[in-house]
Amino acid sequence: MTVRQDFEEPARSRPELVIGQEQLFTAAREQLGRGGSVLLHGPAGIGKSTVLRALAADYAEAARTVLRCSATESESHLPFLALADLLGLVLDEVSGKLPAAQRTALESALTGRGESTLQRDGLALRLAVLSALRALAAEGPVLVVADDVQWLDSASSELLGFAARRLGDTPVTMLCAVRTDGQEYDRHLRTSPPDTLPVRLGPLSRAQVSSLLDHRGYTGLPRSTVRDIHRTSGGNPLFALELGRALAENPTPPRPGEPLPVPTSLRALVLSRLEMLSAQARHTLLVASAGARPTLSLLHAAGRENAEAETARAAELGLLATEPEGPAVRFAHPLVSAALYAEAPAHQRRAAHAALSTAASDPIERARHLALATTGTDPEVAARLAGAAMLARDRGAPSVAASLGLLAARHAPAESVPGPDERRLQAAEDAITAGEVDLARDIAREVLTRATAATERVRAWMVVIEAAGQALGEVDAVFPQALADAGDDPRLLALVHYQLAWRALVVEGDFAEGREEAAHAADLAARAGDRRTELLALAFQAQAETLMGHPDAPATIKRALKEPQDPQVACHHNGAGSTRFRWLLMSDQLPEARNTVTALLREVRRRGMVESEVHFLRLLAETELRSGHCGRALDLARESLRLARDSGIGEVASAMLTSLAEASGDSVDEALTLAREAVQHAEEDGDQIYVSRALAALGYVQLVAGDAQGTVRSLRRVRELEHGLGVTDPARGRWHGDLAEALVRIGELAEAQDVIDVTREQALRLGRESVLAVLDRAEALVRAAGGEHKVAMGQLTSVRDRLGKLGYGLEEARAAFELALLRAGHGPGPTSYDEAARLFRRCRALPWLRQVDAAAAAGATPDRQPPPAPATAVLEGLASMERQVAELVMEGATNREIAGRLFISVKTVEATLTRVYRKLGIRSRVDIVRLAAGRHVK
């Protein structure tokens, strides 16, 4: 019996060991828990052995016997070696339980005594392995752990496969891992039982690579560097960690535009076949690795006359991927290109870039190659790079512009105009636009160590403040220094006072002070002729006035939209276009708001403005959610959150909005997690604005989850915060109706009516029709709780129709649901929930739809707590995959959505549903929902 401790890991470390593979890890663990077997497969370095060890550690506790083997390529020619690893330590335990012929054959194979071979003792050996496993299993469950199955000697592989196919119900579980490198895994299934679950481990996302690097101690890497590590590693965790280690050990970072340093360990791994190429072919590949988009024609133009033959040979060796269509030269893995470049001497790299500086057709590429081919300062090279950076900026590639700007600064002589630091600051501003805030902050701080000119220092301070994002409290000490450097220059003072407006709002939570600072900044900028800063300040002032319910808001918006406009400010997330969108949304002009934000999103994507893209994705999601398009809103919100987490920009706001979309369209549990995360991070940042907004989201999610007490706690705090902020427009957060509804549910009718009355007065003053309708819905619940059922029903009917006309689909459906509940509790005759179900289904509001189904089944009363989710007891007789598919059908997922979430094909979903129908005695997807809700199926 092998020692189980070989596989044990500290319980607290296991989730970290499988970063990025948690869902697959869970599926594999559930399969093992049911007594099934698992085959992990994927390319080298993808994390198979790590996941295998973690799974073995989890399951070893349930197994009496753990058998282990780990094959290597150098030993794969030795017959029976893997079998000896597996059964060598238990031979004495099982040999006495085997027939004589089987015992002799097995002992001979495992000990090397005698001349046992598969050809001579094939049947006896096969039966001996099967009998040995059955004998061990008779004493208790057996776990077989086999790593690197691709290197199993052929004899052991054949014997294991024979036994695995015949184990049947014997409690023997196999946990195997195999490197596939693009090959099909099916042929390796022959060493596993028929019910084995194949699990393919895929590449990690950028955020997961970042988490992995942090876990291993490579912290503090700029996001732009993590992005490069992710791209170069292809999401492979082993490659990413080795690249992170090389960067941590290398005191000299790569020059802008150059690939990452590749450690010797990875070079040997990916370039083992490079020596099989001629020197000329290796140089051709070096030129290809230096190019951004290498093609055969580019290689020819760079002087590589035999490029076709040389690249064909490289493809045969697996260094290049074959491209059946098009002339592109693509490396088999991004790391191959980086390793080739890292392996080459510096003079050969410069020669490759020199050749490409004349061969490339794109002026940006030509300038980049010229810079990398040049050593020392050169004003002509610096000027060409600055021109290329401007072109990249115009093309919507600010990240490229930042890289080119840094190269320009490197080659610019100290006495040149503009000087090196001015070019660095422009690069930092481009990096801010591209969402590379860490890079921007580092550049600005470097400039501040030596800059003496007021203009350069204030610009650098502005970059530091911008890079802080919502965490302005962390850079509070910067503002006095920036004011001192600005002196009495109105242009510089305008920049500082504009940022002070944001500080007043975010750190102090004071809209009035923020409005005054913005107005002052706009006046200073107008005096200095700085139209860009003036427009930003006016947009801020207009937004503050809008949220305050200030009567000057429409006039200020007109001033912010007045010509001349700055094209970049016009589409900026803090510009007048964004302010106008917010005004439209709060004024119930949903179609026009959608058109406005869609146009803004299109423009910022064209310009490569990452922070604005995160912002407008979120605003478009909010518009779709208000319109009752919950599925579309959820897709947009998730996209915004992914981009926010990748770039480190706007994470709190995106998490907040995604929690609302999840609670309306998919998972209430995920919504609660996101809302709480948003509240926590906003509080850590000291961001008063988003603390209140995140709490409002949490209150709504708690309402959907049935936690009325939690809703009241969260939204009472929102009420206090917004009072302190000076926010008086109820269309800003639209939480007031939810608070009143939750107060009714806990029996606080007087407070509910007070919330309604106070909010109604503000909504009437500002003409917020949808807010008034939602307040009327809440008031109908107050009246129903007070016994005025007929009046309440009439009010709910009116509310439903008004919300429908305004285009608020989800709120309309909620009104229809409350009306059905009220009729069920107090109206005469049978009650139909069909209209509410239809409206929620149209919205794809799955959590609400589940409540409707459960209410219809249970006959809920109007003073109910929200009904629980449908019981799934009817599904317990199904196999794991069948149950998972059925549960997703209950959530309203399509076959394609189910396939994506479970990592299976659509055909597998269809086949699984057929089995579900047969086992449950039903005929359709609708019948699954009816059964789960406890309703009769005809």
Side-chain angles (χ1 to χ4, degrees), residues 128-158:
V129 173
L130 178 60
S131 299
L133 291 174
R134 284 175 173 166
L136 291 171
E139 304 298 324
V142 176
L143 173 65
V144 178
V145 183
D147 200 2
D148 285 318
V149 169
Q150 74 276 4
W151 303 132
L152 285 185
D153 62 274
S154 58
S156 296
S157 179
E158 171 60 29

Side-chain angles (χ1 to χ4, degrees), residues 384-535:
R384 285 187 59 181
L385 285 163
M390 183 180 297
L391 181 58
R393 206 173 297 122
D394 291 341
R395 288 182 181 178
S399 179
V400 175
S403 176
L404 292 168
L406 290 175
L407 284 171
R410 183 186 293 269
H411 289 286
E415 67 280 2
S416 62
V417 179
D421 279 344
E422 191 171 348
R423 296 188 188 279
R424 289 187 180 93
L425 287 170
Q426 179 62 65
E429 290 162 359
D430 286 330
I432 287 285
T433 301
E436 298 179 6
V437 293
D438 294 336
L439 174 62
R441 184 189 302 112
D442 291 344
I443 295 170
R445 286 176 174 166
E446 179 194 350
V447 170
L448 284 166
T449 61
R450 56 176 175 267
T452 57
T455 300
E456 289 183 356
R457 292 189 62 80
V458 172
R459 280 182 71 187
W461 289 127
M462 294 304 100
V463 169
V464 172
I465 293 170
E466 288 278 1
Q470 299 298 119
L472 285 178
E474 296 178 4
V475 293
D476 224 16
V478 165
F479 291 97
Q481 299 177 68
L483 280 171
D485 284 330
D488 57 1
D489 186 327
R491 183 176 179 277
L492 299 181
L493 284 171
L495 293 171
V496 181
H497 281 282
Y498 172 67
Q499 294 296 346
L500 282 169
W502 281 106
R503 181 191 174 281
L505 193 61
V506 173
V507 179
E508 301 296 335
D510 192 332
F511 269 92
E513 183 183 346
R515 174 182 176 271
E516 290 175 8
E517 287 285 2
H520 185 40
D523 290 342
L524 287 166
R527 276 173 27 203
D530 181 359
R531 183 61 173 163
R532 182 179 189 277
T533 303
E534 181 188 7
L535 289 169

Side-chain angles (χ1 to χ4, degrees), residues 206-229:
R206 189 193 306 180
Q208 290 163 347
V209 165
S210 179
S211 297
L212 180 65
L213 292 167
D214 286 345
H215 172 61
R216 294 301 179 89
Y218 304 127
T219 57
L221 293 172
R223 289 183 183 272
S224 56
T225 301
V226 174
R227 178 200 61 198
D228 291 342
I229 290 175

Side-chain angles (χ1 to χ4, degrees), residues 701-785:
V701 178
Q702 289 167 323
L703 186 70
V704 179
D707 181 8
Q709 291 283 2
T711 298
V712 170
R713 284 194 302 271
S714 297
L715 297 185
R716 277 175 175 166
R717 190 175 167 203
V718 174
R719 182 172 56 185
E720 294 171 5
L721 286 168
E722 290 203 352
H723 178 74
L725 288 167
V727 174
T728 61
D729 192 333
R732 183 235 182 193
R734 298 177 183 268
W735 48 266
H736 312 76
D738 291 338
L739 174 56
E741 181 176 333
L743 286 165
V744 171
R745 292 191 187 184
I746 66 172
E748 297 288 348
L749 302 185
E751 185 181 351
Q753 189 62 55
D754 182 64
V755 169
I756 293 166
D757 292 341
V758 171
T759 309
R760 180 179 284 139
E761 182 180 351
Q762 297 164 343
L764 283 168
R765 177 174 62 86
L766 296 168
R768 303 306 192 213
E769 292 297 328
S770 62
V771 174
L772 290 167
V774 168
L775 292 172
D776 284 351
R777 185 183 67 204
E779 188 172 57
L781 301 185
V782 175
R783 288 179 170 175

